[in-house]
Amino acid sequence: MTILVTGATGTVGRHVVEQLINKEVQVRAVSRNPKRASLPEGVEVVAGDLMSPETLIPAFQGVTALYLITSSDQADATLETNPQVVELAEKAGVQKVSLLTVYGDGPVEQAIKNSRLEWAFVQPVGFMANAIDDWQESIRKEGVVRALGGETRGAIIHEADIAAVFVETLLENGHHRNFYTLTGPEALSTIEQVEIISKGIGKEIEFEELTEEEARGEWKKMGHNEESIDFMVQMSKNPPEIGYTILPTIEEVTGRPAKTFAEWVSEHKSDFM
Protein backbone atom coordinates (compact mmCIF):
# COMPACT_ATOMS: atom_id res chain seq x y z
CA MET A 1 0.00 0.00 0.00
CA THR A 2 1.23 3.48 -0.92
CA ILE A 3 -0.51 6.53 0.50
CA LEU A 4 -0.10 9.91 -1.16
CA VAL A 5 0.01 12.85 1.25
CA THR A 6 -0.60 16.40 0.06
CA GLY A 7 0.33 19.30 2.34
CA ALA A 8 2.88 16.97 3.90
CA THR A 9 4.82 19.74 5.64
CA GLY A 10 1.70 21.48 6.94
CA THR A 11 0.33 21.60 10.47
CA VAL A 12 -1.67 18.38 10.08
CA GLY A 13 0.10 16.80 7.12
CA ARG A 14 3.44 16.39 8.85
CA HIS A 15 1.71 14.44 11.63
CA VAL A 16 -0.10 12.28 9.08
CA VAL A 17 3.26 11.45 7.49
CA GLU A 18 4.92 10.64 10.82
CA GLN A 19 2.09 8.43 12.01
CA LEU A 20 1.93 6.51 8.74
CA ILE A 21 5.70 5.99 8.80
CA ASN A 22 5.42 4.70 12.37
CA LYS A 23 2.90 2.14 11.09
CA GLU A 24 5.41 1.13 8.39
CA VAL A 25 3.18 2.35 5.57
CA GLN A 26 4.79 3.49 2.32
CA VAL A 27 4.32 7.27 2.09
CA ARG A 28 4.65 9.43 -1.00
CA ALA A 29 4.51 13.19 -0.44
CA VAL A 30 3.68 15.87 -2.99
CA SER A 31 5.64 19.12 -2.92
CA ARG A 32 5.96 22.11 -5.22
CA ASN A 33 9.65 22.14 -4.25
CA PRO A 34 10.73 18.55 -3.52
CA LYS A 35 14.35 19.49 -2.82
CA ARG A 36 13.27 21.89 -0.08
CA ALA A 37 10.73 19.59 1.60
CA SER A 38 11.94 18.48 5.03
CA LEU A 39 10.33 15.10 5.69
CA PRO A 40 11.23 11.92 7.60
CA GLU A 41 13.58 9.35 6.13
CA GLY A 42 11.77 6.83 3.99
CA VAL A 43 9.23 9.26 2.54
CA GLU A 44 9.21 9.44 -1.25
CA VAL A 45 8.94 13.10 -2.21
CA VAL A 46 7.62 13.91 -5.69
CA ALA A 47 6.92 17.14 -7.53
CA GLY A 48 3.35 18.30 -7.99
CA ASP A 49 1.00 21.24 -7.62
CA LEU A 50 -2.62 20.91 -6.49
CA MET A 51 -3.47 24.01 -8.50
CA SER A 52 -2.14 22.33 -11.68
CA PRO A 53 -3.71 18.86 -11.57
CA GLU A 54 -1.85 17.47 -14.58
CA THR A 55 1.42 17.74 -12.63
CA LEU A 56 0.08 15.11 -10.21
CA ILE A 57 -0.48 12.34 -12.76
CA PRO A 58 2.91 10.66 -12.09
CA ALA A 59 2.41 11.01 -8.31
CA PHE A 60 -0.88 9.07 -8.45
CA GLN A 61 0.63 5.96 -10.06
CA GLY A 62 0.46 2.98 -7.70
CA VAL A 63 -1.29 4.94 -4.96
CA THR A 64 -4.04 3.26 -2.94
CA ALA A 65 -5.25 6.16 -0.79
CA LEU A 66 -4.94 9.93 -0.74
CA TYR A 67 -4.79 12.50 2.06
CA LEU A 68 -6.04 15.67 0.41
CA ILE A 69 -6.22 19.31 1.49
CA THR A 70 -8.35 22.02 -0.08
CA SER A 71 -6.10 24.94 0.86
CA SER A 72 -2.82 25.57 2.65
CA ASP A 73 -2.61 26.10 6.40
CA GLN A 74 0.89 27.57 6.14
CA ALA A 75 1.61 31.28 6.40
CA ASP A 76 2.17 33.13 3.13
CA ALA A 77 1.23 30.06 1.07
CA THR A 78 -1.28 30.45 -1.74
CA LEU A 79 -3.15 27.26 -2.50
CA GLU A 80 -6.65 26.43 -3.66
CA THR A 81 -6.92 22.83 -4.79
CA ASN A 82 -8.30 22.31 -8.30
CA PRO A 83 -11.25 19.87 -8.21
CA GLN A 84 -9.87 18.08 -11.29
CA VAL A 85 -7.35 16.50 -8.94
CA VAL A 86 -10.12 14.13 -7.84
CA GLU A 87 -10.90 12.98 -11.38
CA LEU A 88 -7.24 12.32 -12.14
CA ALA A 89 -6.80 10.38 -8.91
CA GLU A 90 -9.79 8.21 -9.77
CA LYS A 91 -8.50 7.57 -13.31
CA ALA A 92 -5.11 6.56 -11.90
CA GLY A 93 -6.68 3.87 -9.73
CA VAL A 94 -6.68 5.58 -6.33
CA GLN A 95 -9.36 3.86 -4.26
CA LYS A 96 -9.83 6.10 -1.25
CA VAL A 97 -9.54 9.78 -0.31
CA SER A 98 -9.68 11.48 3.08
CA LEU A 99 -10.18 15.23 2.87
CA LEU A 100 -9.27 17.98 5.33
CA THR A 101 -12.25 20.25 4.81
CA VAL A 102 -13.14 23.70 6.11
CA TYR A 103 -16.79 24.09 5.15
CA GLY A 104 -17.66 20.70 3.68
CA ASP A 105 -19.49 21.94 0.60
CA GLY A 106 -16.91 23.39 -1.80
CA PRO A 107 -16.03 22.29 -5.35
CA VAL A 108 -13.46 19.72 -4.20
CA GLU A 109 -16.00 18.17 -1.82
CA GLN A 110 -18.57 17.98 -4.60
CA ALA A 111 -16.06 16.38 -6.96
CA ILE A 112 -15.31 13.72 -4.37
CA LYS A 113 -19.00 13.00 -3.73
CA ASN A 114 -19.57 12.63 -7.48
CA SER A 115 -16.65 10.22 -7.88
CA ARG A 116 -16.45 6.46 -7.34
CA LEU A 117 -13.83 6.88 -4.63
CA GLU A 118 -14.37 5.82 -1.05
CA TRP A 119 -14.25 9.04 0.94
CA ALA A 120 -14.28 10.59 4.38
CA PHE A 121 -14.33 14.30 5.26
CA VAL A 122 -12.61 15.55 8.40
CA GLN A 123 -13.38 19.02 9.77
CA PRO A 124 -11.45 20.28 12.83
CA VAL A 125 -13.00 23.27 14.60
CA GLY A 126 -9.66 24.94 15.41
CA PHE A 127 -5.96 24.08 15.77
CA MET A 128 -4.09 24.35 19.06
CA ALA A 129 -1.10 25.17 16.87
CA ASN A 130 -2.66 28.54 16.04
CA ALA A 131 -1.20 29.69 19.35
CA ILE A 132 2.24 29.55 17.73
CA ASP A 133 1.20 31.47 14.63
CA ASP A 134 -0.72 34.11 16.57
CA TRP A 135 1.17 34.58 19.84
CA GLN A 136 4.69 33.19 19.63
CA GLU A 137 6.42 36.45 18.81
CA SER A 138 4.64 38.63 21.37
CA ILE A 139 5.05 36.04 24.14
CA ARG A 140 8.75 35.66 23.44
CA LYS A 141 9.54 39.35 23.08
CA GLU A 142 7.04 41.04 25.41
CA GLY A 143 5.37 38.42 27.57
CA VAL A 144 1.96 39.53 26.31
CA VAL A 145 -0.91 38.31 24.15
CA ARG A 146 -3.17 40.84 22.44
CA ALA A 147 -6.41 39.54 20.98
CA LEU A 148 -10.05 40.26 20.30
CA GLY A 149 -12.56 38.16 22.23
CA GLY A 150 -10.60 37.09 25.28
CA GLU A 151 -13.64 35.43 26.85
CA THR A 152 -14.71 33.61 23.66
CA ARG A 153 -14.37 29.85 24.02
CA GLY A 154 -13.21 27.33 21.46
CA ALA A 155 -12.91 23.53 21.59
CA ILE A 156 -9.49 23.62 19.94
CA ILE A 157 -7.80 20.38 18.95
CA HIS A 158 -4.29 18.95 18.93
CA GLU A 159 -3.05 18.56 15.37
CA ALA A 160 -1.74 15.05 16.14
CA ASP A 161 -5.29 14.01 17.06
CA ILE A 162 -6.54 15.29 13.72
CA ALA A 163 -3.83 13.27 11.98
CA ALA A 164 -4.76 10.16 13.97
CA VAL A 165 -8.31 10.34 12.63
CA PHE A 166 -6.96 10.67 9.09
CA VAL A 167 -4.65 7.69 9.53
CA GLU A 168 -7.59 5.61 10.73
CA THR A 169 -9.75 6.61 7.75
CA LEU A 170 -6.93 5.96 5.29
CA LEU A 171 -5.93 2.54 6.61
CA GLU A 172 -9.16 1.04 7.87
CA ASN A 173 -12.55 0.27 6.37
CA GLY A 174 -15.92 1.51 7.57
CA HIS A 175 -15.43 5.25 7.09
CA HIS A 176 -16.94 5.72 3.63
CA ARG A 177 -19.26 8.73 3.37
CA ASN A 178 -18.58 9.82 6.94
CA PHE A 179 -18.15 13.47 7.90
CA TYR A 180 -16.13 13.78 11.09
CA THR A 181 -16.20 17.07 12.97
CA LEU A 182 -13.33 17.12 15.46
CA THR A 183 -12.89 19.03 18.72
CA GLY A 184 -10.58 18.96 21.66
CA PRO A 185 -11.71 17.72 25.11
CA GLU A 186 -12.40 21.17 26.58
CA ALA A 187 -13.78 24.54 25.50
CA LEU A 188 -11.21 27.14 26.50
CA SER A 189 -11.34 30.91 26.30
CA THR A 190 -8.39 32.79 24.86
CA ILE A 191 -7.57 34.04 28.35
CA GLU A 192 -7.55 30.47 29.69
CA GLN A 193 -5.26 29.36 26.86
CA VAL A 194 -2.83 32.14 27.71
CA GLU A 195 -2.92 31.11 31.39
CA ILE A 196 -2.13 27.50 30.45
CA ILE A 197 0.81 28.59 28.30
CA SER A 198 2.04 30.82 31.14
CA LYS A 199 1.92 27.96 33.62
CA GLY A 200 3.47 25.53 31.16
CA ILE A 201 6.53 27.65 30.40
CA GLY A 202 6.88 29.18 33.86
CA LYS A 203 6.64 32.75 32.63
CA GLU A 204 4.06 35.40 33.39
CA ILE A 205 2.07 36.39 30.31
CA GLU A 206 -0.25 39.38 30.26
CA PHE A 207 -3.44 39.38 28.23
CA GLU A 208 -4.59 42.61 26.56
CA GLU A 209 -8.07 42.77 25.02
CA LEU A 210 -8.15 44.47 21.63
CA THR A 211 -11.11 46.50 20.45
CA GLU A 212 -12.69 45.43 17.19
CA GLU A 213 -11.19 48.49 15.50
CA GLU A 214 -7.71 47.61 16.78
CA ALA A 215 -8.06 43.99 15.70
CA ARG A 216 -9.25 44.97 12.24
CA GLY A 217 -6.30 47.32 11.90
CA GLU A 218 -3.83 44.59 12.87
CA TRP A 219 -5.31 42.07 10.47
CA LYS A 220 -5.29 44.63 7.68
CA LYS A 221 -1.58 45.27 8.29
CA MET A 222 -1.02 41.52 7.95
CA GLY A 223 -2.54 41.63 4.47
CA HIS A 224 -5.96 40.06 5.10
CA ASN A 225 -8.82 41.19 2.87
CA GLU A 226 -12.09 42.61 4.22
CA GLU A 227 -14.00 39.36 3.80
CA SER A 228 -11.41 37.45 5.82
CA ILE A 229 -11.33 40.15 8.47
CA ASP A 230 -15.12 40.09 8.82
CA PHE A 231 -14.93 36.31 9.28
CA MET A 232 -12.21 36.58 11.94
CA VAL A 233 -14.20 39.22 13.83
CA GLN A 234 -17.23 36.92 13.77
CA MET A 235 -15.18 33.98 15.05
CA SER A 236 -13.63 36.10 17.79
CA LYS A 237 -16.85 37.65 19.06
CA ASN A 238 -19.68 35.26 18.20
CA PRO A 239 -18.51 31.90 16.85
CA PRO A 240 -21.00 29.23 15.78
CA GLU A 241 -22.07 26.73 18.42
CA ILE A 242 -20.00 23.96 16.85
CA GLY A 243 -16.86 25.96 17.62
CA TYR A 244 -17.24 25.47 21.36
CA THR A 245 -19.30 22.29 21.58
CA ILE A 246 -17.20 19.35 22.79
CA LEU A 247 -17.65 16.22 20.67
CA PRO A 248 -16.45 12.65 21.39
CA THR A 249 -15.34 12.03 17.79
CA ILE A 250 -11.62 11.62 18.50
CA GLU A 251 -12.15 8.82 20.99
CA GLU A 252 -14.87 7.21 18.89
CA VAL A 253 -12.62 6.99 15.83
CA THR A 254 -9.18 6.41 17.40
CA GLY A 255 -10.08 4.61 20.62
CA ARG A 256 -8.28 7.10 22.87
CA PRO A 257 -9.21 10.45 24.43
CA ALA A 258 -8.35 13.72 22.74
CA LYS A 259 -5.24 15.49 24.03
CA THR A 260 -5.61 18.57 26.23
CA PHE A 261 -4.17 22.01 25.55
CA ALA A 262 -1.89 21.57 28.57
CA GLU A 263 -0.42 18.48 26.91
CA TRP A 264 0.07 20.43 23.70
CA VAL A 265 1.84 23.25 25.56
CA SER A 266 4.12 20.73 27.28
CA GLU A 267 5.19 19.49 23.84
CA HIS A 268 5.76 23.03 22.50
CA LYS A 269 7.48 24.88 25.36
CA SER A 270 10.46 25.77 23.20
CA ASP A 271 8.23 27.63 20.75
CA PHE A 272 7.40 30.21 23.41
CA MET A 273 10.71 30.50 25.22
Side-chain angles (χ1 to χ4, degrees):
M1 172 183 285
T2 297
I3 293 181
L4 183 65
V5 178
T6 63
T9 58
T11 303
V12 177
R14 62 187 176 86
H15 285 279
V16 172
V17 169
E18 290 170 3
Q19 292 179 28
L20 288 172
I21 289 293
N22 288 341
K23 290 180 176 289
E24 299 183 347
V25 176
Q26 179 62 47
V27 177
R28 183 179 296 163
V30 172
S31 174
R32 291 173 174 175
N33 300 293
K35 293 182 179 180
R36 295 174 56 187
S38 178
L39 290 164
E41 185 177 351
V43 176
E44 178 190 2
V45 185
V46 298
D49 186 344
L50 289 169
M51 296 176 72
S52 300
E54 66 281 356
T55 66
L56 296 170
I57 293 174
F60 286 138
Q61 302 309 308
V63 167
T64 303
L66 169 66
Y67 164 76
L68 184 62
I69 59 175
T70 56
S71 58
S72 177
D73 61 9
Q74 295 177 290
D76 303 320
T78 301
L79 171 64
E80 293 296 333
T81 298
N82 189 314
Q84 191 185 359
V85 167
V86 178
E87 178 186 351
L88 294 178
E90 186 177 2
K91 286 182 177 179
V94 177
Q95 300 169 19
K96 182 186 292 187
V97 58
S98 293
L99 180 74
L100 179 63
T101 183
V102 179
Y103 302 112
D105 58 357
V108 176
E109 288 86 348
Q110 290 302 318
I112 290 173
K113 290 178 181 178
N114 293 334
S115 74
R116 294 189 300 274
L117 296 168
E118 290 186 35
W119 57 263
F121 294 168
V122 178
Q123 181 189 49
V125 301
F127 298 168
M128 292 180 181
N130 287 344
I132 296 175
D133 296 334
D134 297 340
W135 306 333
Q136 180 185 54
E137 185 175 359
S138 65
I139 288 176
R140 280 181 164 182
K141 293 182 178 179
E142 305 173 72
V144 65
V145 166
R146 301 178 181 90
L148 175 65
E151 298 287 351
T152 301
R153 294 182 176 275
I156 54 176
I157 183 172
H158 195 304
E159 52 273 19
D161 283 340
I162 304 170
V165 170
F166 272 110
V167 169
E168 177 71 20
T169 63
L170 289 164
L171 297 182
E172 305 298 334
N173 296 322
H175 300 285
H176 182 39
R177 295 184 177 274
N178 282 344
F179 191 113
Y180 295 119
T181 299
L182 308 184
T183 76
E186 52 199 347
L188 298 171
S189 70
T190 301
I191 292 172
E192 288 170 333
Q193 292 174 50
V194 173
E195 290 172 348
I196 291 170
I197 296 172
S198 177
K199 182 178 180 181
I201 67 175
K203 173 183 176 179
E204 185 175 348
I205 304 172
E206 182 182 356
F207 177 79
E208 293 182 7
E209 179 78 36
L210 295 179
T211 65
E212 180 178 329
E213 183 179 3
E214 290 170 334
R216 285 181 177 275
E218 289 297 317
W219 287 324
K220 192 170 184 178
K221 288 178 185 176
M222 294 167 64
H224 296 292
N225 59 37
E226 288 301 321
E227 183 179 0
S228 297
I229 291 173
D230 287 342
F231 175 77
M232 289 187 285
V233 169
Q234 175 73 13
M235 292 299 101
S236 298
K237 297 178 69 174
N238 188 28
E241 186 176 355
I242 190 60
Y244 52 83
T245 301
I246 300 167
L247 301 175
T249 318
I250 294 294
E251 188 162 7
E252 289 175 349
V253 176
T254 69
R256 61 166 179 76
K259 294 185 177 184
T260 66
F261 189 59
E263 290 178 276
W264 182 90
V265 170
S266 178
E267 296 170 9
H268 293 85
K269 287 183 181 180
S270 62
D271 291 304
F272 299 102
M273 299 176 69

